[in-house]
Amino acid sequence: MFLPSLQRNSPLMFLNRHNPNLSLSCLLCLCLSLTEIMAPGKSRSSKRSSSSSTSYASTITTVVFLALCVLAIWMLTSNSVAPRQTSSSTATTKSNVKKDPPAFEDNPGDLPDDIIKFDEESNNDRKSQQDQKSESSSIGNSKDPNVAEDGDDGINDKQETSRVKESVEEQERQKENEKQISEESQQTSDGENEENQKVDEDQKLGEDQKHATEKQQQYVVSQDENIREFPSRISNRDQEQSLQQQLREDENRENTQDSKNDEDQQLQKQQDEEIVKNEENSETRQKQQKQQEFQDVTNDEHPQSQEAEEDPESQQNKARIQEVQQQRENDANQEAREENNTEGKPADSNSGESFPGGGNTGIPRESKESKKSWSTQAAQSENEKERRKEGSGVMGSIYGYTWQLCNVTAGPDYIPCLDNEKALRKLRTTGHFEHRERHCPEEGPTCLVTLPEGYKKPILWPKSRDKIWYHNVPHVKLAEVKGHQNWVKVMGEFLTFPGGGTQFIHGALHYIDFIQQSVPGIAWGKHTRVILDVGCGVASFGGYLFERDVLTMSFAPKDEHEAQVQFALERGIPAISAVMGSQRLPFPSRVFDIVHCARCRVPWHAEGGLLLLELNRVLRPGGYFVWSATPVYQTLQEDVEIWKEMSSLTASMCWDLVTIKKDKLNSIGAAIYRKPSSNDCYEQRKHKRPPMCKNDDDPNAAWYVPLQSCMHRIPVDETQRGTRWPEAWPLRLQAPPYWLNSSQMGIYGKPAPQDFVADHEHWKQVVKNSYMNSLGISWSDVRNVMDMRAVYGGFAAALRDLRVWVLNVVNVDSPDTLPIIYERGLFGIYHDWCESFSTYPRSYDLLHADHLFSKLEKRCRLDPIMAEVDRIVRPGGKLIVRDESSTIGEVENLLKSLHWEVHLTFSKNQEGMLSAQKGNWRPDIYLESS
């Protein structure tokens, strides 16, 4: 009779579904009432005398009522075990989309948000309760597995699952509507790029919401006991998590927009820098500092300017470029006003802007004040040949310049100052070998030298010391004449050098050891570092002295023994084309530790010892003269006469004959003399022959100065160069010379010793940080190096650990610092770059020019200088230029017209650097015969 009340739609089930505790209480009350009703009947029947059947029926009725109550309680309890509570999660999901408080449609008993607050501590407590209830629920299910299969509960599951699906579908439709609204709003407000970004973010947000919904549904299904007890707390927690997630997404959206703005600003900045850089490599380089010199050159003469005008990007940024130009002109004017305060300061390697690789843009400049403290070779040499030209040296058309091949008899071996046939025809005499001396053209040639047929990349050192390609130096005369003396031999496509010579047929190393055994004080590579080899032949002596850590300046004339010096340079051995004739050698006085002559056949005794006195000038006080020639060890009449003359001459010069030794293996002998280190002997001579030079004769004057038949006195003042022997090698490399006076201003404006140290550190940093890694130079391919404007020799000193040698060139119009270079164990030569250099074509692997060309522009044109650079650099050789930005631009244009490959150009604050490589290009047209 109570079963109808337990149907699903009955009031009791409705009450049980919405408030299980209340419905259970009502049922218990009903059962108790029925029990009360039955109890009186039982009592009354006991007072009366009734039959046992009546008592038995009453008992049965009571049991049935109790059973029905128990059954009702069990059904209500099992129905309340796993109700599907999905409306709360659905409302929470909707709240994530609408950002409104959740609606509790199916739970009128839920508390509002402002009453129940969820925090982390309550969440932890609730989690522990959930774990306990989950355990109890699992135990109960294991005891009665049929509970999960209740028919009413299955129907309830289906209906609630349907509601969940409808809620999810409604949510997706709502998201699509919001997405469309968001897209329209983005199109009207932020533009296309921002719109696409927001759509992607909304899609990502929708996916996150969908994932959150599924996760919440799973959580509700698995945690239904907790949902019944804390429905509003769960809703508030989900709402708070959703709000926090939304805030994070808004922040991410703002960060994304800020990042995009930063990227746009960075891109704009890069575009600005690219525009400035492109403009700097074209027009600005031509306009800075030399704008007045180029004001008459039209735009048609500068193709780079035309390209810049035709470039749409340049047109769009014209205003910006003009602004940058104006700013740079102002900076240049400011720098010019501060020149007197800054130009004399050496570069600080740790400050200022940097070149690629860390090179410093603050390149040291000569101090104007220091020029008062230093003499120049031009001033010292009274017969120095002036070569000043009118004008600024600007060509009519740089890129359009037409190069032609030199039409000369010398062909691929052309040396302009030694093969000047027009000047040689005008010579009145050749008795002092004037025809082997320098006779430079009035204007430097602008033609290019041809390549030998079959020319190949030179063999690398040290293999090149033993053999070279025949077609690179295709001369066989020396091999035919001197082949039996092991000078040079032809073997297939190679020319080989057995390492001997006329005086050391069995090898140069044996001969080198023989000299040191004769005079142990020579001490190769320690006491003796720099020597001069006169009449060097193919320079095998100097080539093998590298193994003893000795530098040799070898020279021989360009004479009938063709290609002696060319052989040496091709082998990777230092050498120049020169002759001892009527003029002084291009070296300072008192700089060579040893002067060597092996059967050089120079008439030392002739004309009062004129040539030997020149050796005395360049030999360091206390230095040695090694003479291994036939007069020393042969008894022919001519040799005996020469020996007598030499003995008398050397004694009158106060040279001490240290020893005469014979080498049995080579069947030769060597006489070793030593120059005095004081003036005592000079004052004690009975016959004042040769005479002492006049006081006004400068021993350091060497550029086009005639030879003098006199001797210069030995310095006696401790502050003068030549009173002491330099430090032992390698200490002398970095130690300031003892005779550098602190009261004398250095080249860059500091006291001379400090200036020396600053220059040394400067070039160490430049070579290490920039030249070694940033210029694309394979230093293993470099052997012959020339510093076209050396000051203290810092660049050469920085390359000391490489297998290279550096010829330091000091210009005749620059402060005379060449003695300092020799004092530190390096070597060099005087030269005027408005003339050609005395070397064969294709001699050097690398040329280095630091602030050279901007100085030369004041005296001569750049195009013949660049033709000379092209002449002496090997195909594949390199050029490094550091100079003013405007000069860098001119050099770059000239190199491009010569088909050189420019690897790097960089300019900063009116200073620039360039690195380029020579190719094999030669023009097809020969210069017309003059």
Side-chain angles (χ1 to χ4, degrees):
M1 59 183 298
F2 294 99
L3 290 178
S5 66
L6 297 177
Q7 292 180 359
R8 182 175 182 83
N9 295 327
S10 64
L12 184 60
M13 287 303 296
F14 177 83
L15 183 63
N16 176 58
R17 186 167 58 252
H18 291 281
N19 198 332
N21 295 329
L22 183 60
S23 62
L24 182 61
S25 300
C26 294
L27 185 60
L28 290 176
C29 292
L30 179 61
C31 292
L32 291 174
S33 300
L34 292 175
T35 305
E36 290 288 333
I37 296 173
M38 295 300 299
K42 183 178 179 180
S43 172
R44 287 192 300 268
S45 63
S46 62
K47 290 180 181 181
R48 296 191 302 262
S49 58
S50 59
S51 63
S52 61
S53 61
T54 303
S55 176
Y56 177 76
S58 177
T59 302
I60 292 301
T61 302
T62 302
V63 170
V64 170
F65 283 135
L66 292 174
L68 290 175
C69 290
V70 171
L71 179 62
I73 293 170
W74 175 78
M75 290 179 67
L76 290 173
T77 304
S78 63
N79 188 47
S80 64
V81 171
R84 303 298 181 185
Q85 299 288 343
T86 60
S87 60
S88 176
S89 62
T90 303
T92 303
T93 303
K94 292 181 180 180
S95 68
N96 290 336
V97 178
K98 296 181 180 181
K99 302 181 181 179
D100 294 330
F104 304 100
E105 297 176 357
D106 295 333
N107 286 317
D110 289 344
L111 297 177
D113 294 342
D114 56 352
I115 298 177
I116 298 179
K117 297 185 180 294
F118 181 79
D119 55 26
E120 188 170 353
E121 182 177 356
S122 63
N123 184 28
N124 294 334
D125 295 338
R126 186 172 66 256
K127 185 175 181 180
S128 61
Q129 295 175 4
Q130 290 172 357
D131 294 339
Q132 294 176 0
K133 291 186 178 182
S134 177
E135 291 178 0
S136 62
S137 177
S138 62
I139 294 173
N141 290 337
S142 63
K143 290 181 181 180
D144 193 356
N146 295 327
V147 171
E149 298 178 0
D150 186 88
D152 292 339
D153 186 58
I155 295 173
N156 191 21
D157 288 345
K158 291 180 181 179
Q159 291 178 352
E160 292 177 354
T161 300
S162 176
R163 284 198 300 273
V164 170
K165 291 181 178 179
E166 291 176 358
S167 176
V168 170
E169 291 176 356
E170 180 180 359
Q171 174 189 351
E172 291 177 352
R173 288 194 300 270
Q174 187 172 1
K175 285 191 295 183
E176 291 178 356
N177 294 333
E178 291 177 353
K179 186 188 301 182
Q180 294 177 356
I181 295 172
S182 176
E183 290 176 354
E184 294 175 356
S185 175
Q186 292 165 357
Q187 289 176 356
T188 58
S189 61
D190 298 332
E192 185 176 356
N193 292 334
E194 197 171 1
E195 173 191 20
N196 294 334
Q197 180 179 1
K198 192 167 181 71
V199 169
D200 294 338
E201 292 174 354
D202 291 339
Q203 291 177 354
K204 182 177 180 181
L205 179 61
E207 293 176 358
D208 294 338
Q209 290 173 345
K210 182 177 180 181
H211 179 71
T213 301
E214 293 174 356
K215 189 173 182 180
Q216 290 168 356
Q217 291 174 357
Q218 294 175 0
Y219 180 85
V220 170
V221 170
S222 62
Q223 301 293 338
D224 28 292
E225 280 291 338
N226 186 62
I227 293 172
R228 280 205 311 274
E229 292 182 10
F230 306 103
S232 60
R233 291 187 180 184
I234 293 175
S235 299
N236 284 330
R237 182 193 64 184
D238 293 339
Q239 178 187 12
E240 182 173 328
Q241 290 178 346
S242 176
L243 292 175
Q244 292 176 353
Q245 180 179 2
Q246 186 66 30
L247 289 174
R248 287 195 299 269
E249 290 174 351
D250 292 339
E251 291 177 357
N252 292 336
R253 186 182 297 106
E254 292 176 359
N255 293 334
T256 301
Q257 184 64 30
D258 293 339
S259 176
K260 181 179 179 182
N261 293 335
D262 292 340
E263 291 177 358
D264 292 339
Q265 293 177 358
Q266 185 68 20
L267 180 60
Q268 184 66 27
K269 183 178 180 181
Q270 292 177 356
Q271 291 176 351
D272 293 344
E273 292 176 353
E274 186 68 19
I275 292 169
V276 172
K277 184 177 180 180
N278 292 335
E279 184 278 332
E280 177 182 315
N281 291 333
S282 57
E283 294 181 3
T284 301
R285 202 164 37 227
Q286 302 296 331
K287 294 179 180 180
Q288 288 175 349
Q289 296 184 349
K290 300 185 72 63
Q291 188 173 4
Q292 296 299 325
E293 296 178 1
F294 288 90
Q295 62 185 356
D296 296 331
V297 181
T298 61
N299 291 332
D300 293 336
E301 295 169 347
H302 298 277
Q304 279 188 340
S305 299
Q306 295 177 359
E307 293 174 3
E309 292 177 358
E310 295 173 359
D311 189 357
E313 185 176 358
S314 298
Q315 292 293 340
Q316 294 175 2
N317 297 281
K318 183 177 180 181
R320 191 183 310 156
I321 292 173
Q322 291 176 348
E323 181 179 356
V324 172
Q325 288 178 344
Q326 183 64 34
Q327 181 64 33
R328 291 190 173 180
E329 290 176 359
N330 294 337
D331 294 341
N333 294 333
Q334 180 67 21
E335 182 179 356
R337 288 192 295 269
E338 298 175 354
E339 182 179 0
N340 292 332
N341 296 328
T342 60
E343 69 173 356
K345 296 180 180 180
D348 184 356
S349 60
N350 297 322
S351 64
E353 300 295 336
S354 296
F355 279 115
N360 204 290
T361 60
I363 302 174
R365 295 186 179 182
E366 293 184 10
S367 170
K368 291 182 179 180
E369 294 297 326
S370 70
K371 294 181 180 180
K372 300 177 182 179
S373 303
W374 295 81
S375 61
T376 65
Q377 188 60 212
Q380 291 167 168
S381 304
E382 60 183 1
N383 290 342
E384 190 267 333
K385 191 174 182 179
E386 294 293 336
R387 300 193 54 80
R388 300 185 181 275
K389 302 297 180 183
E390 297 295 333
S392 61
V394 181
M395 293 190 304
S397 177
I398 295 178
Y399 281 99
Y401 191 87
T402 302
W403 297 99
Q404 297 176 327
L405 292 173
C406 297
N407 187 5
V408 292
T409 305
D413 301 331
Y414 177 50
I415 304 176
C417 290
L418 300 182
D419 296 319
N420 187 355
E421 296 179 355
K422 181 178 179 180
L424 294 177
R425 287 194 295 265
K426 296 180 180 180
L427 291 176
R428 297 180 179 180
T429 178
T430 59
H432 293 91
F433 298 94
E434 290 89 350
H435 59 298
R436 306 299 185 191
E437 294 178 334
R438 291 172 57 83
H439 301 281
C440 297
E442 290 297 324
E443 292 185 2
T446 56
C447 59
L448 306 183
V449 178
T450 60
L451 289 176
E453 185 177 354
Y455 181 85
K456 297 181 179 180
K457 180 181 178 181
I459 298 173
L460 300 181
W461 181 269
K463 293 183 178 179
S464 62
R465 186 178 62 182
D466 300 325
K467 65 179 181 180
I468 62 174
W469 297 111
Y470 165 76
H471 288 290
N472 287 11
V473 191
H475 300 293
V476 297
K477 185 175 182 178
L478 198 60
E480 295 172 354
V481 175
K482 299 290 185 179
H484 67 287
Q485 296 177 351
N486 281 348
W487 279 34
V488 57
K489 295 182 178 180
V490 180
M491 298 185 67
E493 59 180 351
F494 298 103
L495 290 167
T496 62
F497 304 86
T502 306
Q503 298 300 105
F504 36 93
I505 299 176
H506 296 284
L509 285 176
H510 171 78
Y511 175 76
I512 291 169
D513 292 337
F514 159 72
I515 293 174
Q516 180 162 320
Q517 291 171 3
S518 302
V519 181
I522 287 178
W524 297 122
K526 295 181 180 179
H527 182 79
T528 299
R529 166 63 181 173
V530 184
I531 73 172
L532 178 67
D533 188 15
V534 182
C536 64
V538 296
S540 292
F541 178 65
Y544 281 92
L545 273 172
F546 277 108
E547 295 189 12
R548 301 292 188 264
D549 214 1
V550 175
L551 281 180
T552 307
M553 174 66 73
S554 302
F555 75 91
K558 185 177 182 180
D559 57 9
E560 63 275 1
H561 290 164
E562 61 182 15
Q564 294 180 89
V565 169
Q566 192 174 17
F567 282 139
L569 291 166
E570 184 71 16
R571 296 173 68 186
I573 301 172
I576 61 170
S577 291
V579 66
M580 297 198 70
S582 64
Q583 298 176 351
R584 288 179 176 177
L585 296 172
F587 310 119
S589 66
R590 307 186 299 271
V591 291
F592 289 103
D593 301 336
I594 286 181
V595 176
H596 172 261
C597 173
R599 202 171 184 176
C600 52
R601 292 192 177 276
V602 176
W604 301 118
H605 61 285
E607 300 186 58
L610 182 66
L611 301 182
L612 194 62
L613 290 171
E614 174 61 8
L615 295 187
N616 184 75
R617 183 185 71 87
V618 299
L619 183 61
R620 190 183 300 279
Y624 296 95
F625 173 61
V626 179
W627 186 40
S628 61
T630 55
V632 177
Y633 57 90
Q634 290 187 359
T635 59
L636 297 177
Q637 183 64 32
E638 181 183 6
D639 293 328
V640 172
E641 292 295 329
I642 293 175
W643 174 254
K644 289 182 180 179
E645 293 288 342
M646 278 290 292
S647 297
S648 175
L649 176 60
T650 55
S652 65
M653 293 172 57
C654 295
W655 281 14
D656 180 26
L657 179 58
V658 178
T659 185
I660 298 176
K661 290 288 185 179
K662 291 187 178 181
D663 180 12
K664 295 181 180 180
L665 179 63
N666 290 312
S667 300
I668 64 165
I672 302 176
Y673 299 89
R674 187 174 188 181
K675 180 180 177 178
S677 55
S678 70
N679 294 311
D680 295 341
C681 178
Y682 296 152
E683 297 173 355
Q684 297 173 2
R685 292 184 305 163
K686 294 181 180 180
H687 304 287
K688 305 298 181 180
R689 296 291 178 185
M692 303 304 294
C693 295
K694 295 180 180 180
N695 293 333
D696 60 354
D697 188 278
D698 188 349
N700 293 311
W703 191 245
Y704 290 115
V705 175
L707 292 176
Q708 304 291 326
S709 297
C710 63
M711 295 185 299
H712 296 89
R713 292 186 177 273
I714 305 297
V716 295
D717 189 345
E718 288 293 328
T719 62
Q720 290 183 303
R721 178 174 62 89
T723 56
R724 297 209 311 256
W725 197 265
E727 296 281 349
W729 177 264
L731 294 178
R732 64 194 283 187
L733 178 67
Q734 56 188 6
Y738 66 89
W739 42 267
L740 276 184
N741 195 338
S742 296
S743 62
Q744 180 184 13
M745 182 183 293
I747 304 302
Y748 304 126
K750 290 184 176 181
Q754 299 178 26
D755 218 39
F756 175 93
V757 174
D759 178 80
H760 179 67
E761 294 298 325
H762 166 74
W763 286 111
K764 280 175 58 179
Q765 294 298 322
V766 169
V767 170
K768 178 182 177 181
N769 297 333
S770 182
Y771 290 4
M772 288 293 105
N773 304 314
S774 303
L775 301 184
I777 296 176
S778 176
W779 288 92
S780 61
D781 297 339
V782 176
R783 173 62 181 172
N784 304 354
V785 181
M786 179 189 290
D787 191 355
M788 300 177 70
R789 181 184 168 268
V791 179
Y792 296 118
F795 170 67
L799 298 180
R800 181 223 165 186
D801 294 333
L802 301 181
R803 295 194 301 181
V804 303
W805 58 268
V806 181
L807 182 62
N808 296 278
V809 179
V810 173
N811 294 269
V812 295
D813 61 337
S814 298
D816 187 5
T817 56
L818 193 53
I820 298 176
I821 293 173
Y822 277 94
E823 193 77 8
R824 65 190 306 185
L826 306 172
F827 62 7
I829 192 173
Y830 293 121
H831 184 59
D832 181 2
W833 281 110
C834 289
E835 300 178 359
S836 295
F837 194 81
S838 294
T839 190
Y840 281 86
R842 305 170 300 280
S843 297
Y844 288 86
D845 301 302
L846 173 66
L847 297 188
H848 179 260
D850 175 32
H851 282 73
L852 169 67
F853 299 119
S854 58
K855 297 180 180 297
L856 292 175
E857 282 184 305
K858 301 174 183 178
R859 302 194 298 118
C860 49
R861 295 167 54 193
L862 279 184
D863 50 322
I865 299 173
M866 297 312 299
E868 178 66 5
V869 168
D870 183 86
R871 187 184 72 85
I872 66 179
V873 174
R874 292 171 171 174
K878 315 296 192 303
L879 171 67
I880 302 175
V881 181
R882 302 169 72 97
D883 218 311
E884 299 173 0
S885 296
S886 57
T887 303
I888 290 290
E890 296 178 60
V891 172
E892 179 182 4
N893 294 336
L894 281 164
L895 290 174
K896 288 181 177 179
S897 72
L898 290 165
H899 293 251
W900 282 50
E901 183 178 354
V902 178
H903 290 161
L904 169 71
T905 55
F906 182 86
S907 295
K908 187 73 173 181
N909 297 332
Q910 288 77 48
E911 297 288 347
M913 182 168 66
L914 175 147
S915 174
Q917 183 175 10
K918 178 182 175 180
N920 292 323
W921 177 83
R922 297 287 92 178
D924 298 329
I925 302 174
Y926 277 88
L927 186 68
E928 294 182 2
S929 179
S930 57

